[in-house]
Amino acid sequence: MLKSWAVVPTCLPIINRRCHGCASQRLRASGKFRVNANHKLIDTWLLALCTECGETAKLTVLERMTVRTIPSELLDRLHANDPGLTAELLQDPDVQHRNRFALDWTGAWRLDTGGSDHLDLDLDVIEVEVRNAARIPVRPARLIAEGSGLPRAEVDRLITEGKVVSAARLSSRLSGDFTFTLKR
């Protein structure tokens, strides 16, 4: 029997980067962009606020780009403070690297099991496909425990015994899609 689960974001993640105003390491994206044009060149920043002092930090999105090289759709989304664009840019590895930050997804996602609360553990073999909607790093063993209603220790035991198998490594964090099979 094939089941489908999804890891779905519930809100924007926390940005792990030092605040310039205080000692905090946590920023929250405001969802607003600052666009500055200087003749034919344009700079764009995503604004983030410190969770402690409220200081504004600018995360560079575009730097000294010629206006003609930027797609008009992107410019429209920047000017409209598109929340979808905020989510996309926070997950962009180039933006993360350029601005030296990482994302903290704690409490910002949920597991959608497709309406059923738990797996039907009476079946001999259950195959589950897990889709990760936003490249959220999660521990597969935790997802399996949450989705199946089993204690985490029981899931770890089943993995060790070879009753939960996957092509993906179940003992580390994954941020992509994977499938696993539960054998009883």
Side-chain angles (χ1 to χ4, degrees), residues 72-90:
S72 60
E73 176 192 294
L74 176 59
L75 280 174
D76 292 342
R77 291 177 76 190
L78 289 167
H79 288 299
N81 292 321
D82 183 352
L85 182 59
T86 300
E88 289 172 30
L89 290 173
L90 283 177

Side-chain angles (χ1 to χ4, degrees), residues 10-57:
T10 57
C11 61
L12 291 174
I14 294 293
I15 301 165
N16 285 333
R17 180 178 144 177
R18 190 178 70 77
C19 172
H20 295 292
C22 69
S24 174
Q25 291 286 332
R26 298 169 55 83
L27 304 173
R28 180 169 301 284
S30 69
K32 298 190 186 291
F33 294 94
R34 167 124 191 257
V35 180
N36 185 26
N38 185 2
H39 300 287
K40 295 180 182 180
L41 300 177
I42 194 167
D43 295 304
T44 305
W45 300 275
L46 171 61
L47 302 180
L49 304 172
C50 175
T51 58
E52 296 292 320
C53 69
E55 181 78 20
T56 301

Side-chain angles (χ1 to χ4, degrees), residues 130-152:
V130 180
R131 278 187 324 99
N132 198 329
R135 294 193 324 253
I136 301 168
V138 293
R139 295 199 180 276
R142 177 181 175 215
L143 286 182
I144 295 167
E146 186 177 325
S148 65
L150 295 172
R152 175 76 188 271

Side-chain angles (χ1 to χ4, degrees), residues 144 158-159 161-168 170 179-183:
I144 295 167
L158 291 172
I159 291 171
E161 292 176 358
K163 293 186 178 181
V164 175
V165 294
S166 176
L170 298 176
T179 57
F180 69 91
T181 304
L182 173 63
K183 303 172 193 172

